Amino acid sequence: MNKPLLTADFDYHLPNELIARHPLRVRSDSRLLHVKAGHLTDLAFGDLPSLLNSGDLLVLNDTKVMKARLFGIKDTGGAVEVLVERIIDHEKHIAHCHVRSSRTLKMGQKVHLANGKMSTTMMGRAENLFVLQFDAPILADLEQFGEMPIPPYFERHADEQDDDRYQTVFHHPDKQASVAAPTASLHFDKKTLQALQDKGIQIAFVTLHVGAGTFAPVKTDDLSNHIMHAEYAHLPKSTADKINQTKANGGQIIAVGTTVTRTLETAHLHRVDGQLCEFRGDTQIFIYPPYTFGVVDRLITNFHLPKSTLLMLVSAFGGIEPIKQAYAHAIAKQYRFFSYGDAMLIDGTETLKQS
């Protein structure tokens, strides 16, 4: 009987100075570590087109990040921080939110946000989230008064630079629902995307609205006991068709980020007659070793937090030991880590693949 995987198996020590708390001046100036068959190659992200082949398909997440973080006071005067996780009723202005305050909100309690420009009322609980009803359309007010929800490990407030740089250059304006960026996509600028297309590499999109659960720690020792947070995902028919055709033609599917990977592998569970088809709905897929990937051939990803579900997914794709070696190499070479950090291109372990 195999020994169960533990959360501690995905721990590592990261020097504080390697956390990238601010973006580089140019998106594509980041470094790229290529992990292939146990070999590690230090490259620049601008080298990516030379590593892919004509006929391959690059899949990106076109979600847009909401300015989801708000600050204010309760009607009793205590300070409150609200993070809008998901808007569940646009007409009635109701959202599921994370709330930080000295004392837990009570039913019917009023909260005044953004220096009184917004207000909301506590309507109930949805597991660890608060159900809040706002007094006006939520998205419009967030855009005007909210703060970009940069990760807590930045240890700073968001600024105007984050409004642009914590957003992908290809986000869909009507898909504003994420509370964290699909960070592997932040390296792409229009020049890089054009260079990929000039080489004959196709580009397609999925949508996964990233929730704050992406930063949530795994609280169980045994990974098999962890319950994954739910996120909305959509694989359009057009993208499913492109993936099926690319596979049929012998091309490779390159997933940009863990969010794309989760979307594609979720859709794979719902395939019809062996073919991907449109998928729309919540996904709670938890990918950790060992896992047989059904769609993704190569993965572009950032360097992730210790003990995180994202690191577990990456380890399932590249192998636990190869990823440990890659992280140790990246630390030794002083790569930049986490959301504004550098990237990896991982060629998956062939024995863990299936057609």
Side-chain angles (χ1 to χ4, degrees), residues 11 23 31 54 61 75 78 86 126 175 213 217-218 236 257 271 301 314 346:
D11 195 11
R31 297 164 72 185
S54 177
N61 183 2
D75 51 10
R86 183 184 290 202
K175 296 181 179 180
V218 177
R271 63 195 184 280
T301 188
V314 170
I346 308 170

Side-chain angles (χ1 to χ4, degrees), residues 312-326:
M312 293 163 190
L313 182 153
V314 170
S315 299
F317 189 79
I320 295 175
E321 286 306 316
I323 294 303
K324 282 184 177 179
Q325 292 167 15

Side-chain angles (χ1 to χ4, degrees), residues 55-75:
D56 287 348
L57 178 66
L58 191 80
V59 185
L60 300 158
N61 183 2
D62 64 2
T63 189
K64 182 179 180 182
V65 182
M66 302 183 288
K67 292 185 177 180
R69 183 168 283 128
L70 297 159
F71 298 91
I73 57 172
K74 293 181 284 187
D75 51 10

